Amino acid sequence: MRRFGQCVVAAADVFDQRDEDGIAVLLNPDPPAEQAADVRHAAVVCPALAIHIEE
């Protein structure tokens, strides 16, 4: 069983999830440094491995 929306839970200021299909969307492509740990965590818990971080 996959757990969708984990990135939203991990970094709600950076990601959201569409109600109609559950697809995660990027809200902020350049989040502030203080959110870096949350975004890294979101990438780790993403079940689709769809989040890639560029430093």
Side-chain angles (χ1 to χ4, degrees), residues 11-25:
D13 291 334
V14 179
F15 302 100
D16 198 1
Q17 190 169 18
R18 295 190 312 211
D19 291 332
E20 61 272 10
D21 58 12
I23 291 180
V25 294

Side-chain angles (χ1 to χ4, degrees), residues 15-51:
F15 302 100
D16 198 1
Q17 190 169 18
R18 295 190 312 211
D19 291 332
E20 61 272 10
D21 58 12
I23 291 180
V25 294
L26 181 63
L27 297 175
N28 185 352
D30 191 22
E34 55 269 4
Q35 291 179 333
D38 291 342
V39 173
R40 283 189 188 94
H41 180 69
V44 169
V45 300
C46 176
L49 303 174
I51 300 172

